[in-house]
Amino acid sequence: MAATTSAVGSAIDRIEGRQKVTGQALYAYEHGREHIAYAVIVQSTIARGEIRGFDAAAALAVPGVLSVLWSANAPSLHHAEGELAVLQSRHVSYRGQIVAAVIAESLEACAEAAALVRIDYAEEDADVVLRADHPRLYKPAKVNPSFATDTASGDFDGAFAAAEVAVDVTYETPTFHNNPMEPHATIADWGTDGGLTLYDSTQGVSPTRDTIARLFALEPSRVRVVSPHVGGGFGSKGTARPHVVLAAMAARAVQRPVKVAATRSQMFAFTGHRTPTIQRVRLGAGRDGRMTAISHDVVEQTSTVAEFAEQTAVATRMMYAAANRATTHRLAALDVSTPSWMRAPGECPGMFALESAMDELALACGIDPIELRVLNDPDIDPETGRLFSSRNLVACLREGAERFGWAERDPTPASRREGPWLIGTGVAASTYPARRRPAKAFARRESADRYVVRIAAADIGTGARTALTQIAADALGVPIDAVLVEVGDSGFPTAPVAGGSMGTASWGSAVVKACEELRRNPAQREALADTRKDIEADEPLARHAYGAQFVEVRVSTVTGEIRVPRALGVFAAGTIVNPKTARSQLIGGMTMGIGMALLEESVVDRRFGDYLNSDLASYHVPTYADIAEIEAVWVEERDDHLNPMGSKGIGEIGIVGTAAAVVNAVHHATGRRFRQLPLRLDRILDANVV
């Protein structure tokens, strides 16, 4: 059967949409198991120290309580490191660390008993605040995932000192938390055969399976992770978190299935966060705006539990041409939980600083900020010397300028006013790597007009299931309704995590390979594909997606409020598999970037070491009412060097340049430059915006 039209490129509705809106789609905590028990997490109330005494007598006396686990009676784990060494030591490394768990017949009994657990601590002084002059700053061996910590080429110091125009500025971003709608949750069930089944909210069933198997000394085939639907993750569910380990421990202890769900407040403690950053950016250029020197120095935090070094300056290494270059990363290991992935780790905070500095350089040179970026657009990757597989940043800037009405903009800051409102517009560029990783996929011909495709991918709300169905249909040459794609089960062929904007590229490559094998061999019933060798043979090119974000703001001179009447993103991301879900992802990323600029901030309690606003009432995120008009479009781009679909990831690039575009627009509106996020009311008013 031949497909009449191409499925890839069609704006197909979500295949699981009806299940979700009718409540039939099951999330991790909703799966039913017989004789289920519940576990509630008990957290440390100090930021550093040792557990000196533990009394669970009152908790165990509560009717329905089955067990109380802590480091003295918890099962030993194998090769447990960092945050996953749950209940393996009396040492407390940060406030909110898991120090015990109550297991009971009901959630209510768990909560009552957890409040009765008495813990005596030997408290020690804690260090929880990042600062640029921290005495224990150090150079990590690498930055996430495996980039060089520092880079240098040419003579930056000499070129910067000789530059006709120079910008030397420092930007700060606070701690951010991912806050997906669905909390981190797991059901753990040990079978009579000693195998373990986990119903988990995860961005990667295969990696979670491997991690848990290692910790419990099991063969990976003895662990099954099931996660058909995930209510968001933004990176926080990209690796197994402590609650997953705890669920498995608790289920083994009581020999029953156990449910564990992190509360919203607990998600601020042990499910990861984006590190705060202090970033110094130095740009040197001629009067004509052509850059001669670029440097990006980053200070950020990690924990004493495990090292995580966000690759904040990495995008600066390839974004603009300049012969003399340098980047550095330095860490302070603080008494906090371990930072981790959050949407566009590295590129998001790093490009906020770089793109804000580019706006400052444009003003110093007297050049339009779009023209400055066009002037410094490189022909090859400035540091590796590799050719770009495709690079259409300039096309994004030009298309966005036309759509946004940039030509009518008066470049003079604080030149437009309507009553108490100052109005301004800003622009910033964005980029994100176009990666793919090895994956496997299985395809079976059920009948002449029915196919099943299985892969251990994750649909975290992005529409991955739908996109893979479109890809499979085209590879098989059949209509979409002839294909059933099943994901979210570690029993399916192994797949990489839904992260790094590489999901569709990685999974889709394997799906295409399996489906094309079936199509070539009509007598063949099944096919199993592995893309490892294909990816190892990839040509060494610089592969990136690009974009440009345009934002208009209104700033109140009375209250300091900032409103965003309109925002536009234009992107170059290869083949767009599904325009409907792509637009949704890009708008979601831009909305998150606006929240980063104006609202989001995890406020550190300097005395106790945790966060003062650990809920959605006080950790503010943007809603529909905060943004009047937001649109995402893309330029036509074909890149055959990437994968069989020619696609680039779109899950993260939307957030990357948006915060800088907002800040640049606020400067244009007010004439005041803000270098610390978020742009709170007090910061606007303290700047004497009138």
Side-chain angles (χ1 to χ4, degrees):
M1 180 187 303
T4 56
T5 59
S6 174
V8 169
S10 300
I12 305 299
D13 291 341
R14 296 279 184 92
I15 286 175
E16 80 285 7
R18 181 175 293 276
Q19 289 178 279
K20 287 185 173 179
V21 300
T22 58
Q24 298 175 64
L26 294 180
Y27 293 82
Y29 204 73
E30 298 174 328
H31 288 270
R33 308 298 286 175
E34 292 184 357
H35 308 298
I36 199 81
Y38 299 82
V40 164
I41 293 165
V42 178
Q43 298 173 271
S44 68
T45 57
I46 64 169
R48 181 182 175 90
E50 299 283 331
I51 297 176
R52 189 163 49 192
F54 189 92
D55 184 358
L60 289 167
V62 174
V65 170
L66 302 173
S67 181
V68 177
L69 293 179
W70 69 296
S71 59
N73 65 356
S76 296
L77 299 172
H78 297 260
H79 306 294
E81 298 177 346
E83 301 277 358
L84 299 185
V86 180
L87 305 182
Q88 299 300 289
S89 168
R90 291 177 180 239
H91 183 70
V92 174
S93 300
Y94 60 90
R95 185 178 171 96
Q97 178 181 321
I98 298 174
V99 292
V102 175
I103 311 161
E105 298 275 1
S106 69
L107 191 59
E108 292 79 9
C110 278
E112 179 183 351
L116 297 174
V117 173
R118 296 291 176 261
I119 304 176
D120 181 32
Y121 296 99
E123 187 172 3
E124 302 171 11
D125 291 338
D127 182 3
V128 299
V129 178
L130 179 69
R131 59 184 194 271
D133 61 349
H134 197 285
R136 294 194 303 277
L137 288 178
Y138 72 96
K139 176 184 176 181
K142 64 178 182 179
V143 294
N144 178 59
S146 56
F147 290 109
T149 304
D150 299 351
T151 60
S153 59
D155 176 14
F156 170 78
D157 290 334
F160 185 73
E164 295 177 314
V165 180
V167 168
D168 184 347
V169 283
T170 298
Y171 302 90
E172 296 183 22
T173 61
T175 302
F176 297 112
H177 277 85
N178 309 57
N179 278 307
M181 184 66 73
E182 181 196 16
H184 290 65
T186 306
I187 299 175
D189 186 3
W190 290 89
T192 56
D193 62 351
L196 174 63
T197 299
L198 297 169
Y199 298 89
D200 186 42
S201 182
T202 176
Q203 293 175 226
V205 290
S206 298
T208 296
R209 173 201 62 196
D210 295 345
T211 297
I212 298 301
R214 184 190 77 242
L215 292 173
F216 288 89
L218 297 170
E219 289 295 321
S221 61
R222 305 284 287 167
V223 178
R224 182 187 177 201
V225 181
V226 181
S227 184
H229 302 284
V230 181
F234 308 117
S236 68
K237 298 174 183 175
T239 58
R241 299 301 181 188
H243 72 283
V244 186
V245 181
L246 182 66
M249 296 171 76
R252 174 172 276 181
V254 300
Q255 298 184 335
R256 290 171 58 173
V258 171
K259 284 188 174 187
V260 176
T263 65
R264 182 63 56 180
S265 179
Q266 288 171 344
M267 287 169 63
F268 280 77
F270 52 76
T271 66
H273 62 270
R274 195 194 300 280
T275 174
T277 69
I278 303 168
Q279 305 177 55
R280 183 186 183 190
V281 178
R282 288 174 287 173
L283 305 176
R287 294 286 179 194
D288 62 355
R290 196 172 298 277
M291 287 198 290
T292 56
I294 183 169
S295 172
H296 194 165
D297 301 306
V298 181
V299 172
E300 51 200 22
Q301 74 186 32
T302 186
S303 73
T304 62
V305 178
E307 182 180 276
F308 181 86
E310 186 149 345
Q311 68 276 30
T312 305
V314 166
T316 300
R317 298 173 183 174
M318 50 67 58
M319 195 61 189
Y320 297 112
N324 305 283
R325 321 171 64 83
T327 64
T328 66
H329 297 81
R330 296 295 179 268
L331 296 182
L334 305 181
D335 300 310
V336 298
S337 60
T338 308
S340 187
W341 301 333
M342 185 171 175
R343 198 172 199 165
E347 283 78 8
C348 179
M351 288 289 282
F352 157 67
L354 176 62
E355 289 301 295
S356 297
M358 287 293 287
D359 201 65
E360 298 202 45
L361 180 63
L363 192 68
C365 291
I367 296 175
D368 179 89
I370 290 177
E371 298 308 318
L372 178 71
R373 290 169 172 84
V374 172
L375 181 66
N376 290 286
D377 191 56
D379 295 323
I380 60 171
D381 186 310
E383 292 205 3
T384 68
R386 290 180 175 179
L387 296 174
F388 291 105
S389 66
S390 58
R391 182 182 171 105
N392 284 303
L393 172 60
V394 173
C396 294
L397 290 164
R398 297 295 191 210
E399 178 73 15
E402 182 177 347
R403 287 174 176 265
F404 201 71
W406 192 261
E408 287 75 46
R409 176 186 192 255
D410 183 341
T412 308
S415 61
R416 185 178 170 196
R417 183 170 189 148
E418 292 180 5
W421 295 94
L422 299 172
I423 303 171
T425 52
V427 65
S430 53
T431 187
Y432 201 78
R435 304 183 179 100
R436 66 172 177 161
R437 294 290 181 267
K440 298 178 181 180
F442 169 82
R444 184 172 67 219
R445 192 191 317 269
E446 298 275 286
S447 65
D449 58 356
R450 189 65 175 167
Y451 296 82
V452 172
V453 175
R454 295 192 178 110
I455 183 169
D459 193 331
I460 60 174
T462 58
R465 185 184 276 102
T466 305
L468 291 176
T469 302
Q470 294 173 255
I471 291 167
D474 278 2
L476 290 164
V478 301
I480 286 178
D481 57 11
V483 182
L484 173 65
V485 171
E486 297 180 337
V487 301
D489 191 325
S490 66
F492 298 158
T494 301
V497 67
S501 291
M502 63 183 179
T504 299
S506 303
W507 311 325
S509 296
V511 167
V512 167
K513 189 172 185 179
C515 291
E516 285 185 342
E517 183 176 337
L518 278 190
R519 189 177 186 180
R520 284 193 304 269
N521 302 286
Q524 185 173 335
R525 187 173 185 82
E526 297 179 348
L528 178 64
D530 185 342
T531 62
R532 181 171 297 278
K533 290 184 178 179
D534 302 324
I535 293 171
E536 289 174 352
D538 277 348
E539 187 179 357
L541 297 170
R543 297 173 168 86
H544 304 270
Y546 295 93
Q549 282 92 335
F550 295 77
V551 171
E552 179 181 305
V553 300
R554 296 169 65 91
V555 184
S556 172
T557 58
V558 178
T559 64
E561 295 170 88
I562 299 174
R563 295 285 180 261
V564 181
R566 60 191 181 113
L568 168 68
V570 182
F571 303 95
T575 300
I576 301 300
V577 176
N578 185 323
K580 182 174 290 188
T581 56
R583 179 178 178 273
S584 178
Q585 283 205 68
L586 294 168
I587 286 177
M590 291 171 63
T591 302
M592 202 168 173
I594 292 170
M596 173 184 174
L598 302 181
L599 301 170
E600 295 190 46
E601 177 182 23
S602 302
V603 181
V604 178
D605 186 322
R606 293 170 177 254
R607 179 180 176 187
F608 293 108
D610 60 358
Y611 299 99
L612 294 167
N613 57 334
S614 56
D615 55 50
L616 290 184
S618 49
Y619 184 94
H620 298 151
V621 296
T623 64
Y624 182 80
D626 291 307
I627 307 165
E629 178 185 323
I630 184 168
E631 188 54 273
V633 298
W634 42 86
V635 299
E636 291 295 323
E637 181 180 73
R638 182 174 180 84
D639 191 331
D640 295 324
H641 301 287
L642 301 173
N643 51 64
M645 302 79 65
S647 64
K648 298 179 180 180
I650 54 175
E652 289 162 287
I653 193 170
I655 193 177
V656 171
T658 305
V662 172
V663 172
N664 294 340
V666 170
H667 174 265
H668 182 239
T670 66
R672 303 289 193 272
R673 178 65 63 176
F674 297 91
R675 302 188 180 98
Q676 184 178 16
L677 296 183
L679 303 187
R680 299 192 314 244
L681 304 184
D682 59 313
R683 288 175 176 157
I684 300 297
L685 294 175
D686 287 348
N688 296 314
V689 173
V690 295

